[in-house]
Amino acid sequence: MTDPDAIRAAIAAIADEAHPAARIRATFDAHARRHRQRRLILRTAGALAAASVAGAGGLAAYRRTRPEDLVFPPIAGGPGGGWLSAGLGWRPAWLPGGYGRTSLGAVVDGSGVVVVSHQWGRAQRPGELSEPFVALTAGWSDAYAGSPQVVRTDRVELGGASAEMRTYADDGGVLLTWQPATGPRLSVSAGSRDAERDRSVAVRIAKSLRPDTGTFAIGPKFGWQPASIASRPWMYSLGVVNLSWVQNLSVRFGEGELTMTIGPRLEPLFDLGTGRSVDVGGGAAWLDERGGELFAKDLSGRDVQLSGDSEDLPRVLRELDLGPVPDMGWYGTR
């Protein structure tokens, strides 16, 4: 890389916080694909990488700066904080023009953060279904890695390190991955539906990495969990959809998955009139036993959507610690 010592120092900072056996990569494009398969949860702000940042009534909040760029609007948040802190570790010194940070993520194993992932994109333009993005991730996991079709593989030299560049068929995105001498595996992903551009952008970002001592907090925390997921690492992400913050929790076990979306205003995945009213310790909640969905309204000022085994969902939510409303001051920053 252009500054190998700085990169190694940044990697070491992440490795110091990681579980020794951590091999987790949690890119948000993979998160989006999983949620599309779970009954289009993008409608409820369940996926960050490919979700809209402007709703039908939200485009007026933007103002144009250059013909090709839009300003990121301020997103109302709260005091932030939580039970666990994740160190960013590093950041790119170079990003494409108009890009700002759009999501933060981590994977938690027990009481520690074993992966950190953050993503940048530009404010979405009218009529776009998704926006171009780049993402940085440290770590790897078979459980949370995506598996799109690879159409091309290249080798790239990064200041003495040999990296693998994969180009995917589904959206033209790329993933640049390498293993430093110390610390977890690193990856840079890029998606703009222009594979040649994505390959160039990924390499330039990888070569520009610099240490970042910043942190972000993980607020929600599981209490009771069914035995099938009680010892599994779980994924957390925080981003913006329809001009509102959203948090996502996801636990994968075998062929199953428990997912949760938290935000100030969500759309339920089912007709509440067909659901059964259940007690979740506050607010109003409805359970759709046929589809394995639970929706809670105004639970400590937030809506919550869960998907999974219906008999477990009420207790999972009752014993969940929602934590404080997240701070959103980072949104749109470089």
Side-chain angles (χ1 to χ4, degrees):
M1 295 210 170
T2 54
D3 192 344
D5 292 337
I7 298 303
R8 291 191 182 97
I11 295 165
I14 296 174
D16 287 344
E17 296 181 3
H19 190 282
R23 295 183 300 115
I24 298 175
R25 184 188 67 82
T27 56
F28 290 95
D29 49 334
H31 202 192
R33 280 190 289 272
R34 289 200 306 280
H35 282 295
R36 287 192 193 99
Q37 295 167 1
R38 292 210 42 95
R39 300 174 61 189
L40 300 178
I41 202 168
L42 284 175
R43 292 188 300 112
T44 66
L48 301 178
S52 170
V53 295
L59 293 175
Y62 293 100
R63 62 178 177 83
R64 291 187 176 275
T65 54
R66 299 196 301 270
E68 71 276 19
D69 292 330
L70 294 170
V71 167
F72 288 88
I75 302 299
W83 69 282
L84 191 57
S85 179
L88 294 175
W90 37 265
R91 61 179 174 80
W94 177 86
L95 286 167
Y99 273 43
R101 185 175 275 124
T102 56
S103 62
L104 299 167
V107 173
V108 178
D109 191 354
S111 60
V113 173
V114 297
V115 67
V116 175
S117 183
H118 36 146
Q119 181 170 297
W120 291 260
R122 56 168 170 74
Q124 195 173 25
R125 295 167 181 162
E128 283 187 327
L129 297 179
S130 62
E131 70 275 8
F133 72 93
V134 296
L136 304 178
T137 303
W140 180 265
S141 171
D142 293 337
Y144 291 100
S147 56
Q149 181 184 357
V150 178
V151 297
R152 173 174 167 176
T153 302
D154 300 286
R155 302 305 302 184
V156 178
E157 291 299 315
L158 297 174
S162 179
E164 180 182 75
M165 175 84 76
R166 294 184 177 183
T167 301
Y168 296 122
D170 59 349
D171 60 3
V174 304
L175 180 67
L176 179 63
T177 304
W178 69 103
Q179 178 61 60
T182 60
R185 181 179 297 184
L186 298 181
S187 66
V188 174
S189 55
S192 69
R193 300 192 180 277
D194 182 338
E196 194 61 38
R197 177 184 183 275
D198 290 341
R199 286 189 286 268
S200 175
V201 165
V203 171
R204 186 169 180 182
I205 286 176
K207 290 182 176 180
S208 78
L209 294 183
R210 295 292 182 268
D212 188 339
T213 58
T215 62
F216 67 94
I218 299 173
K221 183 179 182 181
F222 283 105
W224 179 84
Q225 295 174 281
S228 58
I229 65 172
S231 60
R232 302 287 295 174
W234 50 278
M235 180 185 293
Y236 169 80
S237 60
L238 170 64
V240 171
V241 175
N242 292 334
L243 299 179
S244 296
W245 62 266
V246 288
Q247 296 171 316
N248 293 275
L249 283 68
S250 177
V251 191
R252 185 173 290 180
F253 53 100
E255 297 299 317
E257 186 172 19
L258 185 149
T259 63
M260 183 184 310
T261 303
I262 305 166
R265 50 185 182 274
L266 300 179
E267 177 188 351
L269 286 176
F270 61 96
D271 180 359
L272 300 184
T274 66
R276 174 169 61 88
S277 179
V278 295
D279 175 25
V280 293
W286 298 265
L287 179 66
D288 178 16
E289 296 175 306
R290 296 169 299 175
E293 309 282 354
L294 186 150
F295 182 79
K297 184 73 176 175
D298 198 24
L299 192 64
S300 298
R302 284 158 274 190
D303 297 346
V304 185
Q305 174 78 50
L306 284 83
S307 302
D309 190 332
S310 60
E311 69 178 28
D312 295 327
L313 298 181
R315 185 174 178 185
V316 168
L317 186 54
R318 277 196 299 270
E319 301 196 28
L320 175 76
D321 182 356
L322 285 171
V325 173
D327 168 53
M328 297 302 298
W330 55 270
Y331 180 70
T333 63
R334 298 285 284 184

